[in-house]
Amino acid sequence: MKLTKYIYLIIVAVIFNSACVSLQVSPVSGNKRVYGYSWEQELQIGEEADGEIIAQYGLYDDQELANYVDQLGQELLEVSHFNREDTPSEYQNTEFTFRVLNSPVVNAFALPGGYVYVTRGLLGHLENEAQLMVVLGHEIGHVAARHASQRAAEQQFGQLAIIGGAVLGQSFGLDGGNILQLSSQTAQLLFLSYSRDDERESDKLGVEYSAMEGYMASEGGAFFTSLKRISEKAGHSIPSHLSSHPDPGEREDNIPRMAAGWAEQGYEMNTVNKEKFLSMIDDLMYGENPREGFERDGVFYHPDLAFQFLVPEGFALYNQPSSVILVNEAQDAIVQFSISSDSKNPEEVVKAFLNQEGITTVDQSAKSINGYSGYTAEATTQTEDGTSLSIDLSAVSYKGSIYQFLSYTTTSQFDEYKSRFIAVSNGFEEVTNSEILNVQPVRINLIRAERTASFAELLPANLPMNIDPLDIAIINQVELNDTIQKGTILKIPVQ
C-alpha cells in the first residue's frame, strides 16, 4: 500500500515533549539565536523520527542508488557549515544520513539533527547531478540553519511535530486536522511550515554548497521550473495555508542569479554530470507501484496480496504503506482499511476496538464476507469538541491475515453514508483476474533519440498506465513541441 497521489507528500509527524526556548549560537551565522530545542535534542529527535519515516514510506530498493545519493550528500557536507574552521565544536563532524524513499511523490525534506530524504519521484524529475546537489544542499541548509528549532521557538509549541523542508511545498489536499478530529486511529498528519525567509536561506545555502563543490548550481533553477509545471498541470498554485514557501517561479529565477554571484567570486562551476546521473536512475520505478495497490473503475486492487474492494463514488483514495484511506470530498466521511497484526480472528479485532474507553457499542454480530469469516459492529463516540460520531467496523479473515474496515462520519450524516460504508467492506474479495495479478510497475528507460524531431513525435504511440505525454515532457524538462536533437538521451516510462 503506497501513496496514490504522486504530486503530494503526506508527512507523518513525531511528537516530542521536550520543547524549551534557549539562546544558542547558529552554525550558519555564528550569531546567537533563540531555538526551541538544544542541539542535543535535535540529534535525538532526528534519530527517533527517522524510524517513523522509514516505516511510513519505505526505502527504495536500490542500494547502488542509495549509496550514490549518500556519497553526493557527504561531499556537500564537507563544504557546509558543519565542517568549517569557525564552526562551533558542538556542530563539527555531525553525522548525516541521506536516504531515498520509495515514494512517487516529487519531494525532498529534512529532519533536525542530520537526516535528509529524497524520493524516487524527485529523482525521476531531475536531469543531472548538479540539480540533485542543489536539492541536497538545500536540505542540509535547513538542518544547518536549525530552521525547525527556530520555528519551534517562534510558535512556542509545547509539543512540536518536527519535519519540513518540503521542496514542493504543497499539501496533500487531505486536511489532516479534520481526520484528527474524527479518529485517534488515524496517524497525526502535521506540517512544520517554514517561513519564506527560511526557504530562501536554504536555497542560498544549497547554491553555496554546490558552487563550492564545483557544480553548475544554476542548473537547480530548471528543477523549480519543473515544480511550477507540475503545479500548473494539477490546476493549482501553492495553497494559501502553505504560502510561506516561495513560488517555484521565483526560485527558478533566483537560483541562477545566486549561482552567478558565486561565479563572480571566482568559483569554477563546471560540473553537471548528466550522463552519470541518468545512468543511476535508469530503470527507476516511475509513479505508483501497482503491485502495492491501485484503483481502477471504482475498485481498489492489491495484486501482491490478491484482494480487492469497492471505492464509493465521490471518495478519494490515499494508499499508504500501512493503510488505505478513503475520504469524501467534504472530508467528513472516512473509511480506513488496514491489516490487524495483534488479533487472531475478526471477532477479536472488532471487540478490541469496542472495548476502548469512549466507545459505545450499538450492535455487533458475526457475518460472512464473500465466503470469508467476518465480524461487524456499529458504535458511537465523541470528539474532544463534543461532536458525535457514528462508526461502522468490519473485520475479515483472508489468507492468514485479518483485515479491518473502520468507517465513520458524524452521527447526523451516518444514515447518508452507512450503505456506502457497508458496500466497501462487503466488496472485499479475492482477485482472480490474471491481468491484475500480473501487473508490473512502470520504469524509466533511457533511450537516445534516433532522429531530430519534436519531443512529442519521439514518444511511443501507447503510453502505460494512462500516463500523460506532458508528464513525460516534464520529467525530461522539455516542452512537447521542443526540437530534440538526434542522440539526445531521453527518459521514457515503459511497462
Side-chain angles (χ1 to χ4, degrees):
M1 303 174 194
K2 293 289 178 182
L3 290 171
T4 59
K5 294 289 185 180
Y6 68 86
I7 297 177
Y8 306 112
L9 177 63
I10 194 167
I11 299 177
V12 171
V14 180
I15 305 288
F16 298 89
N17 297 311
S18 54
C20 60
V21 176
S22 60
L23 192 65
Q24 301 163 57
V25 175
S26 165
V28 173
S29 67
N31 300 322
K32 287 190 175 181
R33 296 205 57 158
V34 175
Y35 296 101
Y37 293 91
S38 69
W39 182 242
E40 290 74 18
Q41 286 173 318
E42 289 186 46
L43 293 172
Q44 179 184 357
I45 286 169
E47 182 178 0
E48 294 181 6
D50 178 56
E52 296 288 337
I53 296 299
I54 294 173
Q56 179 67 14
Y57 301 108
L59 300 178
Y60 185 58
D61 187 17
D62 185 333
Q63 192 59 50
E64 184 179 8
L65 180 61
N67 292 342
Y68 170 70
V69 171
D70 183 72
Q71 176 189 336
L72 294 180
Q74 300 298 340
E75 289 177 11
L76 281 183
L77 192 60
E78 289 299 314
V79 297
S80 75
H81 286 86
F82 287 100
N83 290 286
R84 298 185 180 179
E85 291 183 0
D86 57 350
T87 300
S89 59
E90 64 181 311
Y91 301 116
Q92 289 183 1
N93 302 314
T94 296
E95 293 185 5
F96 265 64
T97 300
F98 298 87
R99 301 195 187 280
V100 179
L101 297 180
N102 184 25
S103 169
V105 170
V106 183
N107 231 319
F109 59 94
L111 292 173
Y115 291 84
V116 173
Y117 308 85
V118 297
T119 64
R120 60 174 173 83
L122 178 140
L123 294 175
H125 281 74
L126 300 178
E127 274 289 286
N128 55 56
E129 209 170 85
Q131 292 179 2
L132 176 56
M133 285 302 229
V134 172
V135 171
L136 293 175
H138 174 102
E139 301 308 332
I140 293 172
H142 275 305
V143 179
R146 301 181 63 186
H147 286 147
S149 196
Q150 287 182 40
R151 297 295 287 171
E154 291 168 6
Q155 298 175 24
Q156 296 183 347
F157 285 164
Q159 294 181 322
L160 177 66
I162 296 292
I163 194 167
V167 171
L168 183 54
Q170 293 187 308
S171 75
F172 198 44
L174 173 62
D175 186 343
N178 285 349
I179 288 182
L180 283 175
Q181 293 172 12
L182 290 173
S183 172
S184 61
Q185 297 289 315
T186 304
Q188 296 186 27
L189 308 173
L190 301 173
F191 287 91
L192 174 65
S193 181
Y194 290 144
S195 70
R196 287 178 180 268
D197 287 341
D198 289 344
E199 294 295 342
R200 289 177 179 130
E201 182 175 29
S202 287
D203 284 345
K204 177 177 175 292
L205 292 173
V207 170
E208 175 182 336
Y209 301 157
S210 300
M212 294 180 72
E213 274 294 288
Y215 281 87
M216 190 177 291
S218 59
E219 282 289 310
F223 172 60
F224 284 98
T225 302
S226 295
L227 294 186
K228 182 175 71 174
R229 294 175 70 188
I230 291 171
S231 295
E232 291 171 348
K233 184 176 184 296
H236 53 70
S237 58
I238 300 299
S240 59
H241 69 284
L242 283 179
S243 59
S244 59
H245 289 74
D247 185 89
E250 171 190 329
R251 301 165 89 173
E252 70 178 324
D253 295 331
N254 285 347
I255 286 176
R257 178 181 53 77
M258 289 187 287
W262 286 96
E264 291 172 1
Q265 295 182 47
Y267 284 86
E268 295 186 4
M269 296 179 289
N270 301 317
T271 304
V272 175
N273 284 355
K274 177 173 181 173
E275 293 205 14
K276 169 64 174 176
F277 174 80
L278 291 179
S279 71
M280 294 304 302
I281 66 167
D282 190 17
D283 203 42
L284 181 75
M285 193 181 300
Y286 175 81
E288 304 297 333
N289 181 359
R291 302 295 313 163
E292 296 168 337
F294 67 97
E295 180 185 3
R296 179 187 293 175
D297 299 328
V299 179
F300 177 77
Y301 299 97
H302 198 298
D304 277 351
L305 299 178
F307 65 72
Q308 66 185 61
F309 57 80
L310 299 179
V311 178
E313 184 177 356
F315 277 63
L317 185 146
Y318 301 99
N319 186 14
Q320 301 174 349
S322 59
S323 64
V324 179
I325 299 176
L326 310 179
V327 188
N328 68 332
E329 186 175 355
Q331 298 181 11
D332 56 10
I334 313 291
V335 179
Q336 180 176 325
F337 171 82
S338 59
I339 301 176
S340 175
S341 57
D342 301 326
S343 302
K344 298 178 181 179
N345 57 64
E347 182 176 356
E348 187 175 304
V349 169
V350 173
K351 288 187 173 180
F353 179 87
L354 297 176
N355 288 335
Q356 293 181 99
E357 184 178 354
I359 301 294
T360 300
T361 302
V362 176
D363 189 22
Q364 59 178 306
S365 64
K367 77 170 184 178
S368 174
I369 300 178
N370 292 309
Y372 300 104
S373 174
Y375 202 84
T376 186
E378 185 178 321
T380 61
T381 189
Q382 284 191 333
T383 64
E384 291 183 1
D385 64 3
T387 301
S388 177
L389 302 180
S390 289
I391 302 165
D392 180 84
L393 179 64
S394 292
V396 57
S397 177
Y398 176 73
K399 294 191 173 182
S401 296
I402 309 298
Y403 296 90
Q404 61 182 359
F405 292 87
L406 176 65
S407 307
Y408 44 88
T409 186
T410 57
T411 298
S412 62
Q413 299 181 111
F414 188 65
D415 287 343
E416 176 185 351
Y417 287 104
K418 182 176 179 179
S419 62
R420 277 176 274 185
F421 289 162
I422 293 174
V424 173
S425 57
N426 283 352
F428 182 92
E429 60 183 327
E430 182 178 6
V431 176
T432 58
N433 185 326
S434 60
E435 178 192 354
I436 299 294
L437 291 171
N438 296 324
V439 68
Q440 295 299 317
V442 175
R443 296 185 179 274
I444 290 176
N445 273 15
L446 302 182
I447 67 166
R448 289 189 182 271
E450 297 180 349
R451 58 193 173 93
T452 297
S454 72
F455 182 77
E457 292 176 303
L458 296 172
L459 291 178
N462 297 311
L463 298 174
M465 300 293 287
N466 298 316
I467 294 173
D468 191 318
L470 181 56
D471 290 327
I472 306 180
I474 291 174
I475 69 171
N476 282 277
Q477 297 182 3
V478 299
E479 300 290 344
L480 285 168
N481 60 356
D482 281 355
T483 298
I484 306 300
Q485 298 299 317
K486 180 180 179 179
T488 301
I489 301 177
L490 299 176
K491 295 179 283 187
I492 305 296
V494 299
Q495 187 176 29

